[in-house]
Amino acid sequence: MGLFDKVRESLAEARERVRLEEAARYQRMAPYRRGYDVYPDEVRRHFGIILRREYIVKVLRDTVIIGLCALGCIFLIKDKSDAVMFIFIPLIVGLIMLFVWISDVRRLMRLEVGSYDLFGAMVTNTRIEEHTTTDSDGSSSTSYNYFVTLNGIECEVSSKEYRKVSVETYCYFIRFPAKYIKDDKFYFFPSDVAEAQQRIGQHYPGREMRLRSAPRGKGYLIFLAVLVLFFCFITCCIGLMANVRAQSELMQLWQDNWQLIGASSGIIGAALILLHRHYINEMAEQQLEEKRRRYGDSQ
C-alpha cells in the first residue's frame, strides 16, 4: 500500500470516528429535546439576586467612567489652550458609556421588579456564524454571531455568554424577554445535570404569543426617510454657514429659509419612519393573530 493510500485511509477513518461521535452525541442529547426546564420560583429569585449583584457593579462602573469623562470635558474647556481640541475624546466616550449606563440600569430595574424568566436546559449544540464584508476601498471586516442550542431550541447570545458553556453542559439561565424572541437576552449559570431532576415542567418558547423576529418592512420607506433626513441635515448646515455667500438665487433662497425647509424635511422624515413602524406593527399583529389561532390564548 502506497503512502497516498495510507493517508486516504487515515482520513476516511478520522471522518468515520467523527461521524460515530456525532451520532452517539445525538443519541445522548435526544432526551433533552423537550423545551426549557421549568423550576420553582425560589430558584428564579436565587439566580436573579446573583445577576442583580453583577449589574449593580456594572452600573457603578459606568457611573464612574461617565463622571471621569465629564470632568475631562470640564477641564479641557477651562484650560483654554490648544488641548481643548481633544475634548471630543472624553465627549464621545462619555456618550457611549451613557447609552451603556441606560441599558444596564434598565436591566437592573427589571431584576428588581422580577421582570425576567429562569429556566434550565442542556446545551445540545453551539455554533458561530462569520460575516465578512468588503467596502469600496477593498478593506474587509468580519463580524460574528454566536448561537447556543438549549434543549433543542437555538438562541443567539453574546460572545461572553457563549464562552461560559459548551456542548453537553447543563445550565440554569436567566432570560430577559424582548418584543421579539430573537432579541431575548440570556445569562448562563453552568450547573450539574442532576439539577434537571428537580424541574417541575417544560416551557416551549415557540408557543409564546410573540413573534420570532420583526416582520419584513418596506425598504423604500426607510430609503426615503434617510434621504429626507439627510436633506434636512444639509439644509441645517447651509443655514448655519451664514457667512458663506450664496452662488445662486436658489442657494440664497435656500439659505434664507433654512429653518422652514429644515423643519419641514425633518417632519416628513419622521413621518416616513412612523409610517414604516405602523406598517410593521400591523403586520406583526396579523402574524400574532395567526399564532393565537394555532396555539390558543392559553399558551
Side-chain angles (χ1 to χ4, degrees):
M1 182 181 292
L3 179 61
F4 180 76
D5 292 332
K6 289 183 179 179
V7 171
R8 186 171 59 182
E9 184 178 337
S10 298
L11 290 174
E13 290 176 355
R15 285 195 295 268
E16 181 63 16
R17 283 197 300 271
V18 170
R19 188 188 68 80
L20 292 174
E21 288 172 2
E22 289 180 350
R25 186 176 68 187
Y26 184 85
Q27 291 299 321
R28 291 196 302 272
M29 296 295 98
Y32 296 100
R33 297 184 186 93
R34 61 193 181 199
Y36 299 153
D37 297 339
V38 178
Y39 288 89
D41 197 53
E42 55 265 26
V43 179
R44 186 182 73 93
R45 289 196 298 269
H46 170 74
F47 286 101
I49 291 171
I50 295 174
L51 189 60
R52 175 176 168 272
R53 291 170 186 160
E54 293 183 17
Y55 266 95
I56 289 174
V57 173
K58 285 183 180 181
V59 169
L60 291 175
R61 177 207 63 192
D62 299 342
T63 304
V64 170
I65 295 175
I66 292 171
L68 291 174
C69 290
L71 289 175
C73 290
I74 293 171
F75 174 79
L76 288 171
I77 292 172
K78 287 185 175 180
D79 187 48
K80 296 181 180 179
S81 67
D82 292 340
V84 75
M85 65 181 293
F86 296 107
I87 193 173
F88 71 92
I89 297 177
L91 182 62
I92 292 175
V93 173
L95 287 174
I96 292 173
M97 290 308 302
L98 178 61
F99 286 113
V100 174
W101 182 86
I102 292 172
S103 175
D104 288 342
V105 168
R106 289 178 62 185
R107 205 66 51 78
L108 179 59
M109 291 300 100
R110 292 188 67 174
L111 287 166
E112 291 286 354
V113 301
S115 179
Y116 61 92
D117 301 317
L118 184 283
F119 301 110
M122 174 68 75
V123 178
T124 53
N125 192 31
T126 60
R127 68 183 181 91
I128 300 175
E129 278 187 1
E130 181 178 313
H131 303 278
T132 303
T133 56
T134 305
D135 58 23
S136 56
D137 297 330
S139 302
S140 298
S141 60
T142 304
S143 61
Y144 300 91
N145 296 101
Y146 300 86
F147 297 88
V148 173
T149 303
L150 302 166
N151 277 6
I153 302 166
E154 187 176 74
C155 57
E156 187 171 352
V157 301
S158 66
S159 59
K160 178 183 177 182
E161 297 304 311
Y162 181 87
R163 290 191 291 269
K164 284 184 182 180
V165 296
S166 58
V167 177
E168 297 191 65
T169 297
Y170 190 85
C171 62
Y172 291 103
F173 62 93
I174 281 179
R175 183 189 70 164
F176 289 101
K179 182 175 182 179
Y180 299 106
I181 295 174
K182 182 179 180 294
D183 299 325
D184 291 350
K185 300 298 181 185
F186 295 82
Y187 294 87
F188 297 126
F189 302 89
S191 186
D192 190 271
V193 67
E195 298 290 333
Q197 303 303 318
Q198 307 302 318
R199 69 186 188 280
I200 59 175
Q202 304 302 134
H203 177 79
Y204 299 93
R207 297 183 182 180
E208 295 174 1
M209 288 303 108
R210 297 185 295 152
L211 298 179
R212 172 68 184 171
S213 59
R216 188 177 182 86
K218 292 186 177 295
Y220 69 87
L221 284 177
I222 293 296
F223 175 76
L224 287 175
V226 171
L227 201 63
V228 171
L229 290 175
F230 180 72
F231 176 79
C232 175
F233 172 76
I234 296 298
T235 300
C236 292
C237 290
I238 289 174
L240 293 172
M241 293 189 299
N243 58 330
V244 179
R245 185 172 179 177
Q247 300 297 317
S248 65
E249 292 184 5
L250 178 61
M251 182 63 72
Q252 185 64 52
L253 182 65
W254 196 358
Q255 198 174 63
D256 292 342
N257 299 279
W258 72 271
Q259 296 99 330
L260 178 61
I261 298 172
S264 300
S265 56
I267 291 171
I268 293 172
L272 287 170
I273 291 175
L274 291 174
L275 181 63
H276 183 262
R277 185 179 181 87
H278 176 72
Y279 170 78
I280 288 180
N281 288 339
E282 279 195 340
M283 292 295 295
E285 187 57 39
Q286 291 176 13
Q287 294 179 20
L288 277 175
E289 186 59 35
E290 293 175 3
K291 196 170 186 177
R292 290 189 190 99
R293 287 197 296 267
R294 189 183 317 136
Y295 293 115
D297 293 328
S298 61
Q299 294 295 329

